Amino acid sequence: MPKADPASQPWGKVLVIVPTYNEIESLERVVSHLLALVPGVDVLVVDDASPDGTGELADRLAKADRRIHAIHGTAKGGLGRAYVSGFGWAKTAGYDYVVEMDADGSHPAEALPTMLALLTTARPAPGLVIGSRWVAGGSVVNWPLHRLWLSRGANVYARVWLGLKVRDITAGYRAYPIDVAVRAAHAIDSRGYSFQIEMALRVHDAGLPIVEVPIRFHEREEGRSKMSRSVVVEAMARVTRWGARRRWEALKSALRGTPRTADSPAAKSRS
């Protein structure tokens, strides 16, 4: 496995993880744009056994540019498993920071330097920096009204029920210190929205700051969205269980007269 080269990287060794499933139409454009704007990072494509040739394209890109790497799943395992695989790869390869980025072009590469600067220089040091649609200055372009309401509603529900201040807890554009990402992802079985929510919950419960950076989120121009009603239902069901457990633990602590521990109830709920 190649080791990260720290040369000319003002933020240290950074790996941008791009999970893919049938993204052959957009992958090369997105990766090329990212590396042109932020040349000091590397890219790891984690292909989820795409039947459309995305994995083969990732291999060709990796052969043409030493900053690009590719690994492949043997079956469609979902977003969460792809990121967990990527975190493990990054840790072994010696990266300091990892970034989550979609392959469809919805996450603006222009925002990444700001995200990395905050991650590496802010004090106290953040455990997570989120590219956020729902903070002041953030926006969404070309989404139908029902998608806007779905995303806003899911975020409000998760934020209130879990007691977090994060405005865009379902966001998929994120940057972590590698050790934080690996620890938070340990034994996570969530997929889609719920993976992102649980990761933020674990960072929060570890006592680490979470910082949000406004981004302009663009709806994909090629391919089809992987978001489905079942993914949203799974996420909201998990949030409900996590929230109920947190409230129950808080009530028990109050009755005992002891402070609530920082252990995440999410880590105790795998279903």
Side-chain angles (χ1 to χ4, degrees):
M1 184 177 293
K3 296 293 181 180
D5 180 2
S8 303
Q9 299 189 43
W11 310 284
K13 297 175 287 188
V14 178
L15 183 69
V16 180
I17 302 172
V18 181
T20 56
Y21 184 77
N22 288 350
E23 297 288 1
I24 196 168
E25 295 173 311
S26 60
L27 178 61
E28 184 170 8
R29 173 178 57 82
V30 168
V31 171
S32 297
H33 181 63
L34 168 65
L35 292 176
L37 286 178
V38 196
V41 303
D42 289 350
V43 175
L44 174 67
V45 179
V46 184
D47 187 62
D48 218 6
S50 298
D52 72 342
T54 300
E56 290 80 0
L57 172 60
D59 287 335
R60 292 195 297 273
L61 295 176
K63 288 181 180 179
D65 190 326
R66 67 180 181 85
R67 296 172 295 176
I68 303 173
H69 313 282
I71 59 176
H72 306 270
T74 57
K76 192 173 187 295
L79 182 72
R81 291 183 185 178
Y83 275 129
V84 171
S85 295
F87 296 158
W89 193 98
K91 177 68 173 178
T92 300
Y95 287 90
D96 301 310
Y97 304 97
V98 286
V99 176
E100 298 179 5
M101 175 180 276
D102 286 353
D104 59 11
S106 59
H107 295 152
E110 294 84 352
L112 186 54
T114 299
M115 293 170 65
L116 292 174
L118 283 170
L119 187 67
T120 56
T121 64
R123 295 294 179 268
L128 168 61
V129 174
I130 295 175
S132 178
R133 299 160 292 185
W134 307 128
V135 293
S139 61
V140 173
V141 178
N142 294 333
W143 258 13
L145 187 60
H146 76 275
R147 287 284 301 277
L148 286 170
W149 281 109
L150 179 63
S151 179
R152 281 189 175 274
N155 274 284
V156 170
Y157 181 78
R159 182 170 70 249
V160 172
W161 191 237
L162 297 175
L164 303 186
K165 295 181 179 180
V166 179
R167 303 289 299 181
D168 199 352
I169 197 171
T170 65
Y173 196 15
R174 300 174 170 219
Y176 300 87
I178 182 59
D179 289 339
V180 173
V182 169
R183 285 197 304 269
H186 177 68
I188 279 186
D189 190 41
S190 299
R191 301 174 65 181
Y193 267 176
S194 58
F195 174 79
Q196 305 293 16
I197 295 168
E198 188 171 2
M199 286 289 289
L201 185 59
R202 290 186 175 195
V203 172
H204 171 270
D205 284 353
L208 298 171
I210 299 175
V211 178
E212 294 183 84
V213 173
I215 65 166
R216 186 175 176 85
F217 179 98
H218 289 262
E219 173 65 326
R220 64 165 61 238
E221 296 179 359
E222 299 109 352
R224 298 178 60 184
S225 172
K226 310 305 184 298
M227 185 55 60
S228 67
R229 181 175 298 178
S230 64
V231 171
V232 177
V233 169
E234 180 222 21
M236 294 304 98
R238 288 177 183 263
V239 166
T240 301
R241 288 194 292 272
W242 297 334
R245 182 182 291 273
R246 292 170 80 81
R247 290 164 190 256
W248 173 240
E249 294 294 335
L251 177 60
K252 289 195 299 182
S253 295
L255 292 174
R256 291 194 303 264
T258 58
R260 181 175 174 271
T261 66
D263 292 338
S264 172
K268 303 174 184 176
S269 175
R270 303 286 175 237
S271 59

